[in-house]
């Protein structure tokens, strides 16, 4: 019978890898809470129309990459390709804006896109992100950027770069779009089919092209800052000032745009040189029109999303930050003593020790070999002699010292140790 394997573009996160994931999740929870953000969890399936409206029908995500199907009631259901639209849908559905004028939310979870798998990009991938809904002020943008920066720093990534831009107000963007189309029209024969289609439907997305020939064309295109209103200029200046106050270095990148109509003002990416050419770890921006476009009462919002696979790759050589949890390997060679040993293990776990109990009833040699393999700090042994004398043999695997401890004193013994 043929072996069953995982689906292309999905991958197992194995026991020797999950520690990194747990540490990253821990930093997301810890840092987000320090900033006053609360976790939100949304379903992995939503109506396809949510993403048609929230992400955009002309985007590759919706037109090519979503996993969708017709449900029994004839509705179209999709696996979520991102989490901002579901979070905003939940915000509207549960009237979170009525509970507080400013909702600071964060999330962690899987998303699904049918794109070509590559380093750090899979068909099932994982994101963490934040959405701050309710404030239209530039200090909120700076806070969101600072939160993302601090999460990545706390996970041990040092070589970070912040790219910053602004796509201005709606009027600014419309004027820029008109001039961009005029500039690009003579180059239509040199544009790819994808870019020709974007020129008609969503011309700003051409600025994000990865085609080398098109990159050269775009270099001489009009720049969006030429079309900023006075308010746009003041807003962008304020964001930069707050980032300087926060001592977060940044570089202005005029090609960092968002093509959809509900995006306004600030856009940003945090990148790492540890990833090579495709170096973005985290991207976000302000989207004041999204809540209204999904049927809610208009509310300003700003947020970001980060790819967890890419963050873990970028942090490959980081210094581990997880606290040391002392480990005890419990060995029993007397069947009658097994219950006593398990009870002692339970008590030791209650005071913070990791205890691994041998349950295969192997030889002492095999058990000791496994204890060393598990990188245990101590071995705790009960054999016939120990059972009869109500004691436990303890061996320190770091220095080889061994001593006998009364069973009743085993908890106080380990409480006295420091690690």
């Amino acid at each position: 019978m043929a072996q069953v394997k995982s689906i292309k573009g999905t991958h197992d996160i194995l026991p020797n890898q999950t520690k990194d994931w747990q540490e990253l999740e821990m930093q997301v929870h810890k840092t987000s809470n320090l900033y006053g953000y609360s976790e939100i969890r949304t379903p992995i399936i939503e109506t396809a129309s949510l993403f048609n409206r929230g992400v955009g029908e002309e985007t590759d995500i919706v037109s090519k990459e979503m996993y969708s199907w017709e449900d029994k009631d004839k509705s179209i259901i999709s696996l979520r390709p991102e989490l901002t639209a579901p979070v905003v849908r939940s915000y509207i559905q549960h009237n979170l804006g009525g509970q507080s004028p400013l909702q600071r939310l964060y999330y962690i979870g899987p998303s699904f896109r049918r794109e070509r798998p590559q380093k750090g990009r899979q068909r099932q991938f994982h994101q963490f992100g934040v959405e701050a809904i309710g404030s239209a002020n530039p200090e909120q943008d700076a806070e969101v950027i600072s939160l993302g920066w601090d999460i990545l720093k706390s996970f041990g990534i040092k070589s970070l770069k912040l790219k910053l831009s602004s796509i201005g107000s709606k009027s600014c963007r419309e004027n820029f779009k008109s001039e961009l189309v005029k500039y690009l029209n003579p180059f239509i024969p040199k544009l790819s089919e994808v870019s020709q289609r974007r020129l008609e439907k969503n011309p700003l997305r051409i600025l994000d092209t990865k085609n080398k020939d098109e990159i050269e064309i775009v270099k001489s295109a009009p720049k969006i800052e030429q079309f900023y209103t006075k308010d746009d200029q003041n807003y962008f200046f304020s964001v930069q000032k707050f980032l300087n106050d926060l001592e977060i270095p940044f570089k202005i990148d005029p090609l960092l745009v968002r093509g959809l109509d509900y995006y306004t003002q600030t856009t940003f990416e945090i990148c790492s040189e540890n990833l090579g050419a495709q170096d973005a770890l985290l991207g976000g921006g302000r989207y004041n029109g999204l809540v209204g476009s999904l049927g809610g009462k208009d509310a300003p919002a700003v947020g970001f999303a980060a790819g967890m696979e890419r963050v873990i790759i970028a942090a490959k050589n980081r210094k581990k930050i997880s606290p040391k949890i002392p480990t005890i390997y419990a060995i029993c060679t007397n069947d009658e003593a097994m219950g006593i040993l398990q009870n002692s293990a339970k008590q030791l776990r209650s005071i913070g020790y990791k205890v691994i109990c041998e349950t295969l009833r192997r030889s002492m040699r095999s058990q000791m070999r496994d204890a060393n393999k598990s990188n245990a700090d101590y071995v705790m042994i009960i054999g016939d002699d120990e059972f009869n004398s109500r004691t436990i043999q303890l061996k320190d695997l770091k220095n080889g010292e061994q001593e006998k401890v009364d069973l009743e004193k085993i908890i106080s013994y380990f409480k006295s140790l420091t690690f």
Side-chain angles (χ1 to χ4, degrees):
M1 184 177 294
Q3 181 182 3
V4 180
K5 295 185 177 181
S6 60
I7 295 170
K8 181 180 179 181
T10 67
H11 63 284
D12 301 307
I13 303 172
L14 300 175
N16 65 338
Q17 301 167 321
T18 51
K19 194 69 177 175
D20 287 330
W21 287 80
Q22 291 167 0
E23 289 184 9
L24 177 54
E25 290 162 7
M26 178 188 71
Q27 291 303 325
V28 173
H29 289 301
K30 179 181 176 182
T31 310
S32 297
N33 276 285
L34 289 174
Y35 274 75
Y37 285 67
S38 301
E39 185 183 13
I40 186 169
R41 303 186 184 192
T42 62
I44 64 169
I45 57 171
E46 300 273 2
T47 60
S49 61
L50 171 66
F51 303 109
N52 293 339
R53 293 161 64 184
V55 179
E57 294 187 55
E58 299 303 326
T59 63
D60 288 345
I61 293 172
V62 170
S63 63
K64 298 178 182 179
E65 298 171 1
M66 280 210 307
Y67 286 98
S68 301
W69 66 95
E70 187 179 277
D71 209 1
K72 288 185 178 180
D73 64 357
K74 304 300 181 182
S75 62
I76 306 299
I77 305 296
S78 295
L79 291 173
R80 64 186 184 199
E82 56 91 48
L83 282 95
T84 296
V87 169
V88 172
R89 187 268 310 150
S90 183
Y91 168 88
I92 297 167
Q93 181 176 338
H94 300 286
N95 190 30
L96 297 185
Q99 298 176 25
S100 173
L102 175 57
Q103 286 288 330
R104 289 181 167 99
L105 306 169
Y106 78 94
Y107 58 78
I108 302 173
S111 294
F112 306 84
R113 296 181 192 175
R114 198 185 189 287
E115 57 183 341
R116 183 172 62 85
Q118 52 185 294
K119 182 180 180 181
R121 296 185 187 274
Q122 300 292 325
R123 290 178 174 177
Q124 177 180 324
F125 59 99
H126 301 77
Q127 291 184 324
F128 68 84
V130 308
E131 316 295 347
I133 307 174
S135 171
N137 297 317
E139 57 264 36
Q140 186 63 66
D141 303 28
E143 177 186 274
V144 164
I145 293 170
S146 179
L147 173 50
W149 185 270
D150 282 356
I151 289 173
L152 297 175
K153 283 284 187 182
S154 69
F155 191 56
I157 305 177
K158 296 180 180 179
S159 55
L160 295 177
K161 295 180 180 178
L162 171 61
K163 297 179 182 178
L164 186 69
S165 187
S166 171
I167 56 172
S169 55
K170 187 174 182 179
S171 62
C172 160
R173 197 164 56 257
E174 288 303 316
N175 291 333
F176 172 55
K177 190 185 299 183
S178 176
E179 291 301 312
L180 181 63
V181 170
K182 286 181 185 178
Y183 169 80
L184 290 172
N185 274 331
F187 295 100
I188 288 177
K190 297 182 179 180
L191 298 179
S192 65
E193 285 186 23
V194 172
S195 290
Q196 288 181 26
R197 191 163 58 249
R198 286 175 175 171
L199 184 62
E200 183 179 341
K201 301 287 187 180
N202 199 345
L204 296 189
R205 295 207 62 218
I206 298 176
L207 299 177
D208 194 36
T209 181
K210 301 299 184 287
N211 181 299
K212 291 182 180 179
D213 294 331
E214 292 177 351
I215 289 172
E216 290 302 312
I217 293 172
V218 164
K219 281 182 179 179
S220 300
K223 302 295 187 289
I224 193 164
E225 61 263 30
Q226 299 170 245
F227 303 89
Y228 289 161
T229 66
K230 189 66 176 177
D231 286 344
D232 295 334
Q233 291 174 346
N234 290 339
Y235 192 97
F236 194 32
F237 175 80
S238 294
V239 173
Q240 294 174 60
K241 177 184 179 300
F242 288 127
L243 289 172
N244 284 326
D245 290 340
L246 289 164
E247 300 180 348
I248 298 176
F250 58 87
K251 180 180 179 181
I252 304 298
D253 183 353
L255 298 181
L256 190 60
V257 299
R258 301 284 185 266
L260 300 178
D261 288 342
Y262 49 74
Y263 283 110
T264 57
Q265 306 295 354
T266 310
T267 60
F268 61 90
E269 283 184 355
I270 301 179
C271 307
S272 169
E273 61 187 25
N274 296 347
L275 286 175
Q278 299 294 319
D279 59 355
L281 292 174
L282 178 156
R286 180 163 281 282
Y287 51 91
N288 289 349
L290 181 56
V291 177
S293 75
L294 292 179
K297 182 180 178 181
D298 280 336
V302 59
F304 70 73
M308 296 178 73
E309 284 85 353
R310 296 173 66 77
V311 170
I312 289 171
I313 290 171
K316 187 175 182 181
N317 297 320
R318 70 191 170 92
K319 183 179 179 181
K320 302 294 182 180
I321 55 177
S322 58
K324 169 67 176 174
I325 300 176
T327 302
I328 303 167
Y329 194 98
I331 294 175
C332 185
T333 59
N334 179 297
D335 293 349
E336 293 182 75
M338 180 57 72
I340 296 173
L341 191 67
Q342 290 191 324
N343 183 266
S344 297
K346 180 181 178 181
Q347 293 182 62
L348 287 165
R349 292 182 188 119
S350 73
I351 62 170
Y353 282 83
K354 175 181 176 181
V355 185
I356 302 170
C357 286
E358 158 68 23
T359 60
L360 295 177
R361 301 190 180 184
R362 294 174 291 181
S363 68
M364 175 67 78
R365 177 179 291 182
S366 295
Q367 293 185 58
M368 286 299 297
R369 186 163 53 241
D370 199 42
N372 282 293
K373 186 178 178 181
S374 67
N375 202 30
D377 299 289
Y378 284 87
V379 170
M380 186 167 69
I381 306 169
I382 296 184
D384 294 339
D385 291 344
E386 290 78 20
F387 177 67
N388 292 328
S389 63
R390 299 286 294 176
T391 59
I392 290 179
Q393 282 284 351
L394 291 179
K395 183 173 183 178
D396 187 330
L397 292 181
K398 304 305 179 187
N399 59 28
E401 293 180 359
Q402 188 165 323
E403 61 183 304
K404 187 175 287 189
V405 178
D406 289 344
L407 183 61
E408 288 77 14
K409 295 180 179 179
I410 193 70
I411 303 303
S412 60
Y413 176 89
F414 278 105
K415 274 186 174 180
S416 70
L417 299 180
T418 56
F419 282 83

